Amino acid sequence: ESRIGDAVRGILAKHDPTTLAGIVLLSDGQGSGGMSTSAAATLARRSEVAIYPVGLGSSDAPVNVRVVDLDAPRRVYPGDKFALTAVLQASGSKAITTQVQLLDGLDDSDVELTEIVDSREVELPADGSLVSVRFEMAPETVGRRRLAVRAVAPPEDQNAEDNFREARYEVVARKLKVLAIAGGPTREYQFVRNLLHRDESVELDVWLQTAREG
């Protein structure tokens, strides 16, 4: 955080205003915490202390594209199409058009993902608004796999480490068989039953020992 107001107030409290010639403030002008700069300027004016600001940096935000989040399922089935969503964000003086690539491969941490299975061209606003990009996949082979989303950032991008985000998933051929046994239709039983029934990876059977007919 840049606590410009707190810094000015601290100097006024530490020094006698009658012997203080002035305060030289080196800043980009963006205070992000503490006392506001206008309130600090008012304190300095009351103490008759001059503030000499020296501007540093550019008034434009640095150019950067980043993959904020990647939402993908943990478990899927061969041939079943599933969706995944990536959330991207950009900063800069103008909107950035970038190519978003979807990569997929075996879950081998020592091997870099290189197979591009899909791509989208996306325009990212310069105001930092979040943009969602949706992909669909239909895996054919069973096993543990790894996918990733990569944004092809412009050459002036400030941070290459946030242009890439990956997730792991498993392609399973058999469903998990579960037998749920309960003495009666309690709320806990109903919650677990519904949770398992809605999971496509689970084949659920129920033995309810006591219940009303139907």
Side-chain angles (χ1 to χ4, degrees):
E1 292 180 332
S2 297
R3 295 178 171 266
I4 299 174
D6 289 353
V8 172
R9 180 176 60 181
I11 292 175
L12 294 173
K14 188 180 296 184
H15 299 276
D16 184 357
T18 59
T19 60
L20 192 60
I23 299 173
V24 179
L25 174 64
L26 309 178
S27 172
D28 62 359
Q30 297 296 321
S32 61
M35 173 185 280
S36 66
T37 52
S38 59
T42 300
L43 283 178
R45 189 180 302 111
R46 288 174 181 171
S47 301
E48 298 183 349
V49 175
I51 298 179
Y52 303 96
V54 179
L56 299 176
S58 172
S59 59
D60 295 329
V63 176
N64 190 55
V65 174
R66 72 186 187 109
V67 182
V68 179
D69 193 18
L70 174 59
D71 184 19
R74 298 279 186 89
R75 182 181 273 185
V76 297
Y77 300 98
D80 284 354
K81 185 179 291 186
F82 69 93
L84 58 122
T85 304
V87 180
L88 286 86
Q89 186 182 44
S91 63
S93 58
K94 60 182 179 179
I96 299 174
T97 300
T98 182
Q99 185 184 46
V100 183
Q101 300 173 341
L102 174 64
L103 299 91
D104 183 68
L106 295 175
D107 186 11
D108 189 345
S109 57
D110 297 331
V111 179
E112 182 180 354
L113 292 176
T114 57
E115 181 185 357
I116 301 174
V117 296
D118 201 355
S119 65
R120 301 272 195 281
E121 192 171 273
V122 181
E123 182 175 295
L124 304 175
D127 60 0
S129 301
L130 299 177
V131 177
S132 297
V133 184
R134 189 175 186 271
F135 293 97
E136 289 187 348
M137 292 181 60
E140 299 296 336
T141 58
V142 176
R144 296 182 181 275
R145 300 185 66 82
R146 187 162 49 111
L147 58 83
V149 169
R150 178 173 61 197
V152 182
E156 60 271 24
D157 186 77
Q158 296 293 309
N159 184 9
E161 295 182 359
D162 59 6
N163 300 340
F164 184 89
R165 189 176 286 265
E166 64 178 34
R168 286 172 168 80
Y169 69 101
E170 184 178 7
V171 184
V172 295
R174 295 189 306 170
K175 292 190 175 184
L176 178 66
K177 296 183 178 181
V178 176
L179 173 61
I181 302 174
T186 61
R187 289 185 178 180
E188 291 80 2
Y189 155 75
Q190 293 180 42
F191 173 78
V192 173
R193 177 203 60 189
N194 294 341
L195 186 69
L196 295 174
H197 177 68
R198 292 167 183 165
D199 190 339
E200 296 182 357
S201 65
V202 173
E203 184 178 312
L204 175 64
D205 289 290
V206 171
W207 177 18
L208 197 59
Q209 295 170 318
T210 58
R212 292 192 302 271
E213 185 175 350

